[in-house]
């Protein structure tokens, strides 16, 4: 783990304007700079970069962060690579973690090995692209699928000729072990001297599989005519793990933000053809079922995922696996849907026959995750009998339990209880879950008691209290840290929208009295939310900045608890996650003191 103190020092030395300016044309706009957002299509600049706070924020699509986050989102780098890149720019040495010298040496050797394998794979891809240009048969096949030369070049498509040792002319040594390790050459026989070697891919259209950062990590090959298997993938290697990678994600990054959702389809050709037909936001799993890692990776780019499947039995089974992978990530602000096409169509053929608008309508009408969960639970159940309803609940329990706690999970408990002819409280008791509770009404504050906490009313939630204080004391925003700003921007609606509105006003006009904010929000869709949090008769409370600090710290405690849960789960397969958990746990415990929580010591 890289120490947090180093990250803070790095961000203090890096200029976010310089980092963003390499990708966005920025112009001066008061104390800030403004440009067209690189993460969604727009004609009027709404992307603001603040030199004073060293942050960026788009008021169109809501993306925001610092120089490190921009580099990760824009280039597709992972966190460690982005840190190293920025550190190199400012002449800092990234500190090593607490691993032994032997472990660090092994890590460096593994990284060098991965870079070498990617170079070998890229070289093969270059060769196959040249072969495609020289093969009228392969070109005719792609044209018959409606693909243009431009789209083929965009995805780096190639052609592996029908020969056993075609790559022998590409690499100086055909017996180089790297060719077998990269999955390009198959070796038969244990005797090195007499082993038989031949190309894995022969007479196939080649689809390079790229990492998010754009490195070639594997290939998929499709037969031109008849033959088995129809699709052939690279084997898993040190740089390629099927359960982690998605075909087309590197090419779709921008489109995911512009279109607002990811369309997950089944094959390479679907991805390429859909990009040709106006859906560049499509990606595909690589010959394996959808995994949690696939879902987690997509959620880095969008909060909306649509899985597209055939309507046959195989498609339903695939949808079941995708549902299980998506459930742990189905938060209240995310949307996961399931699109089932007629058995005679895949997405490519459907768009060609019915048009782009018809397919968009199908996407809009896709089945929500909540409905798909209920459908999966009731499969094979006779709801007209007590036994059938009991079976439904038994099948629903593991699916429902996989959902994170929140409004969606609690609503589904009530729906499932109704289907099972039980009261929600009874089902909660049966499943060992907290009984659903009605939200208490927001207490009204008498005019004379404005600003004083009632001894009988429940205290407001930390998010409500923090937003009320910020609306009443806009100048406190600058006294919060950058990480606090990020935390507040990540709140659920309507708090997130109010935070964005407030930051825009502060950036454009500076701090203003409450009466000015009240007037500016008059008639705005956010006005009801604002009045609920900060009624007109409760604006002169005696709070000071420390009240706000305590509320933000309580929000941090909640966020850190969620992160601890995630890291404990990740630690089952990733040893590094355990150390990360310890650091997060220590940070949370440091915040959970009487001074922070406001509880008696």
């Amino acid at each position: 783990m890289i120490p947090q103190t180093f990250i803070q020092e790095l961000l203090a030395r890096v200029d976010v304007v310089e980092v963003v300016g390499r990708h966005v044309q920025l112009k001066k706009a008061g104390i800030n700079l403004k440009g067209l957002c690189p993460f969604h299509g727009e004609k009027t600049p709404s992307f603001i970069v603040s030199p004073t706070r060293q942050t960026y924020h788009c008021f169109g699509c809501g993306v925001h962060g610092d120089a490190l986050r921009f580099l990760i989102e824009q280039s597709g780098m992972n966190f460690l690579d982005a840190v190293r890149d920025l550190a190199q720019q400012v002449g800092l040495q990234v500190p090593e973690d607490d691993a032994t010298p032997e472990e660090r040496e092994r890590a460096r050797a593994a990284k060098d090995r991965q870079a070498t394998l990617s170079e070998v794979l890229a070289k093969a891809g270059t060769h196959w692209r040249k072969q495609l240009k020289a093969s009228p048969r392969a070109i005719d096949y792609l044209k018959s699928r409606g693909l243009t030369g431009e789209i083929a070049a965009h995805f780096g498509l190639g052609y592996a000729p029908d020969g056993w040792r075609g790559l022998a002319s590409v690499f100086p040594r055909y017996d180089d072990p790297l060719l077998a390790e990269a999955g390009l050459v198959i070796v038969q026989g244990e005797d090195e001297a007499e082993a038989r070697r031949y190309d894995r891919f022969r007479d196939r259209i080649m689809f390079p599989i790229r990492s998010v950062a754009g490195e070639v990590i594997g290939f998929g090959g499709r037969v031109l005519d008849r033959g088995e298997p129809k699709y052939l993938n690279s084997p898993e290697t040190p740089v390629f793990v099927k359960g982690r990678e998605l075909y087309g994600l590197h090419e779709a990054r921008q489109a995911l933000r512009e279109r607002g959702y990811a369309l997950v389809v089944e094959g390479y050709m679907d991805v390429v053809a859909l990009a040709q037909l106006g859906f560049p936001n499509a990606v595909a799993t690589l010959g394996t079922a959808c995994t949690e890692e696939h879902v987690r990776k997509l959620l880095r780019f969008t909060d909306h995922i649509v899985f597209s499947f055939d309507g046959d039995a195989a498609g339903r089974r695939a949808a079941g696996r995708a549902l299980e992978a998506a459930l742990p990530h189905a938060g209240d602000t995310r949307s996961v849907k399931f699109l089932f096409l007629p058995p005679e169509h895949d997405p490519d053929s459907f768009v060609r026959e019915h048009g782009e608008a018809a397919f968009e309508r199908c996407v809009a009408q896709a089945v929500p995750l909540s409905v798909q969960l209920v459908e999966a639970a009731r499969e094979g159940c006779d709801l007209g009998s007590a036994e059938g309803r009991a079976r439904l609940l038994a099948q629903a329990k593991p699916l429902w339990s996989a959902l994170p706690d929140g409004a969606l999970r609690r609503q589904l408990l009530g729906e499932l209880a109704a289907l099972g002819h039980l009261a929600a409280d009874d089902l909660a008791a049966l499943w060992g879950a907290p009984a659903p509770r009605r939200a208490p009404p927001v207490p009204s504050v008498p005019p004379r008691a404005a600003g004083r906490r009632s001894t009988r009313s429940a205290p407001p939630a930390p998010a409500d209290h923090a937003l009320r204080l910020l609306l009443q004391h806009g100048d406190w925003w600058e006294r919060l840290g950058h990480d606090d700003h990020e935390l507040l921007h990540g709140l659920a609606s309507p708090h997130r929208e109010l935070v964005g509105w407030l930051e825009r006003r502060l950036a454009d006009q500076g701090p203003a009295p409450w009466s000015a904010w009240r007037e500016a929000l008059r008639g705005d869709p956010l006005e009801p939310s604002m009045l609920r949090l900060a009624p007109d008769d409760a604006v002169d409370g005696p709070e000071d900045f420390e009240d706000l600090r305590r509320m933000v710290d309580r929000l941090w405690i909640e966020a850190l608890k969620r992160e601890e849960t995630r890291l404990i789960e990740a630690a089952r397969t990733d040893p590094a996650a355990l150390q990360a958990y310890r650091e997060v746990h220590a940070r949370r415990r440091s915040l959970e003191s009487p001074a922070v929580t406001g509880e008696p010591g």
Side-chain angles (χ1 to χ4, degrees):
M1 295 293 293
I2 299 176
Q4 188 62 34
T5 53
F6 176 80
I7 301 298
Q8 294 170 354
E9 180 184 358
L10 177 62
L11 291 175
R13 294 202 190 187
V14 171
D15 184 1
V16 69
V17 175
E18 181 180 343
V19 175
V20 174
R22 299 190 194 109
H23 305 273
V24 180
Q25 185 175 357
L26 298 172
K27 295 183 178 179
K28 197 72 175 171
I31 62 172
N32 299 318
L33 294 99
K34 181 180 287 189
L36 295 174
C37 179
F39 302 117
H40 81 286
E42 63 176 9
K43 296 181 179 179
T44 303
S46 62
F47 186 80
I48 303 296
V49 180
S50 170
T52 55
R53 293 202 310 274
Q54 286 293 299
T55 60
Y56 65 89
H57 184 84
C58 177
F59 298 119
C61 67
V63 298
H64 56 276
D66 52 30
L68 184 56
R69 183 167 178 176
F70 181 87
L71 192 59
I72 293 170
E73 296 293 336
Q74 176 64 22
S75 67
M77 291 182 180
N78 60 39
F79 176 78
L80 290 177
D81 286 342
V83 169
R84 293 187 182 108
D85 186 278
L86 286 180
Q88 185 178 20
Q89 293 177 30
V90 295
L92 288 178
Q93 179 67 39
V94 179
E96 299 285 357
D97 55 23
D98 55 0
T100 65
E102 293 78 13
E103 290 173 334
R104 289 198 292 269
E105 181 58 35
R106 284 197 296 271
R108 279 193 290 269
K111 185 175 181 180
D112 292 343
R113 191 73 167 175
Q114 291 174 352
T116 302
L117 288 175
S118 292
E119 290 173 4
V120 169
L121 292 162
K123 190 172 183 179
T126 301
H127 168 71
W128 285 327
R129 286 198 298 275
K130 292 178 181 177
Q131 295 298 310
L132 174 62
K133 295 178 181 179
S135 173
R137 176 168 161 266
I139 292 173
D140 288 343
Y141 170 79
L142 293 178
K143 286 183 177 179
S144 72
R145 298 298 301 265
L147 302 183
T148 63
E150 289 78 11
I151 203 72
H154 178 66
F155 283 90
L157 303 190
Y159 170 63
D162 189 10
W164 289 99
R165 295 166 64 93
L167 292 176
S169 63
V170 181
F171 297 95
R173 287 182 51 208
Y174 191 67
D175 62 349
D176 188 338
L178 282 172
L179 299 185
E181 189 176 359
L184 298 173
V185 169
I186 294 175
V187 181
Q188 288 185 337
E190 296 181 3
D191 189 331
E192 182 67 22
E194 298 182 6
R196 179 175 176 241
R197 292 175 171 80
Y198 56 92
D199 290 1
R200 180 180 299 275
F201 300 101
R202 305 178 306 279
D203 194 27
R204 290 176 179 269
I205 297 294
M206 299 303 296
F207 298 80
I209 303 165
R210 297 181 172 118
S211 67
V212 175
E215 298 171 327
V216 179
I217 56 176
F219 289 96
R222 189 196 191 284
V223 295
L224 274 73
D225 304 311
R226 296 180 180 178
E228 294 295 335
K230 183 178 179 181
Y231 284 99
L232 180 64
N233 292 319
S234 290
E236 294 202 350
T237 71
V239 296
F240 177 49
V241 179
K242 295 177 184 178
R244 297 178 186 169
E245 304 299 337
L246 290 154
Y247 177 73
L249 182 57
H250 171 72
E251 292 81 3
R253 291 173 304 152
Q254 184 76 13
L256 293 179
R257 297 183 175 99
E258 293 175 353
R259 299 300 292 263
Y261 69 94
L263 179 64
V264 184
V265 296
E266 295 189 58
Y268 307 107
M269 190 59 75
D270 282 330
V271 171
V272 179
L274 284 170
Q276 174 82 57
L277 296 169
F279 292 90
N281 54 320
V283 298
T285 54
L286 297 163
T288 185
C290 181
T291 66
E292 276 196 58
E293 184 65 27
H294 289 142
V295 175
R296 188 180 299 113
K297 186 167 284 191
L298 283 173
L299 290 173
R300 288 173 50 192
F301 299 91
T302 178
D303 285 334
H304 304 278
I305 302 174
V306 178
F307 292 101
S308 176
F309 300 102
D310 295 338
D312 57 13
R316 294 283 171 178
R317 287 194 298 272
R321 292 190 290 269
L323 173 66
E324 292 175 3
L327 285 171
H329 306 283
D332 295 341
T333 60
R334 293 169 175 167
S335 166
V336 178
K337 293 185 177 182
F338 298 81
L339 169 62
F340 296 98
L341 294 173
E344 67 273 15
H345 279 300
D346 57 26
D348 174 17
S349 64
F350 187 94
V351 177
R352 292 186 190 281
E353 181 171 332
H354 299 287
E356 184 178 342
F359 188 70
E360 282 281 21
R361 287 194 294 273
C362 288
V363 170
Q365 297 165 6
V367 178
L369 176 140
S370 58
V371 176
Q372 186 64 23
L373 184 152
V374 173
E375 288 299 311
R378 67 187 298 167
E379 185 175 356
C381 300
D382 175 16
L383 299 189
S385 68
E387 292 83 355
R389 293 191 292 272
R391 181 180 178 183
L392 175 145
L393 293 177
Q395 293 179 171
K397 182 180 178 180
L399 300 175
W400 177 86
S401 298
L403 287 166
D405 189 28
L408 176 63
R409 191 174 193 254
R410 298 186 185 194
Q411 289 181 77
L412 276 170
L413 181 71
E415 291 185 24
L416 292 167
L419 286 171
H421 289 197
L422 290 176
D425 289 352
D426 291 339
L427 183 59
L430 182 66
W431 284 356
R437 295 176 299 173
R438 293 184 180 180
V442 178
S444 58
V445 183
R448 281 187 236 176
R452 293 197 303 272
R453 182 177 293 174
S454 168
T455 57
R456 296 184 179 180
S457 299
D464 286 358
H465 197 167
L467 261 293
R468 179 175 66 81
L469 292 173
L470 282 171
L471 286 167
Q472 296 171 3
H473 308 280
D475 56 323
W476 289 355
W477 176 261
E478 290 295 338
R479 296 176 63 181
L480 293 173
H482 170 72
D483 289 344
D484 299 326
H485 293 165
E486 291 291 295
L487 176 72
L488 293 169
H489 274 296
L491 293 174
S493 296
H495 302 81
R496 178 175 60 244
E497 289 79 10
L498 280 168
V499 168
W501 181 91
L502 179 63
E503 188 179 48
R504 287 196 298 274
R505 286 281 170 172
L506 290 169
D508 292 340
Q509 302 175 11
W514 165 252
S515 58
W517 296 146
R518 176 69 185 89
E519 191 60 34
L521 267 171
R522 195 175 300 279
D524 191 284
L526 290 173
E527 183 181 20
S529 300
M530 180 273 293
L531 286 177
R532 182 183 71 83
L533 295 174
D536 282 340
D537 59 1
V539 298
D540 295 318
E543 299 97 338
D544 57 26
F545 176 77
E546 287 307 309
D547 290 293
L548 175 61
R549 180 69 264 169
R550 280 192 292 272
M551 291 304 105
V552 174
D553 285 342
R554 288 177 62 183
L555 290 172
W556 272 118
I557 291 170
E558 295 173 2
L560 292 170
K561 286 180 178 179
R562 293 192 296 270
E563 182 65 2
E564 286 179 34
T565 302
R566 185 190 71 79
L567 288 170
I568 284 293
E569 180 67 25
R572 296 179 181 179
T573 56
D574 181 11
L578 188 58
Q579 178 59 32
Y581 165 80
R582 294 192 185 104
E583 294 180 7
V584 171
H585 180 71
R587 184 181 178 193
R588 175 173 67 82
R589 291 299 299 270
S590 71
L591 290 172
E592 287 182 326
S593 65
V596 170
T597 61
E599 301 295 332

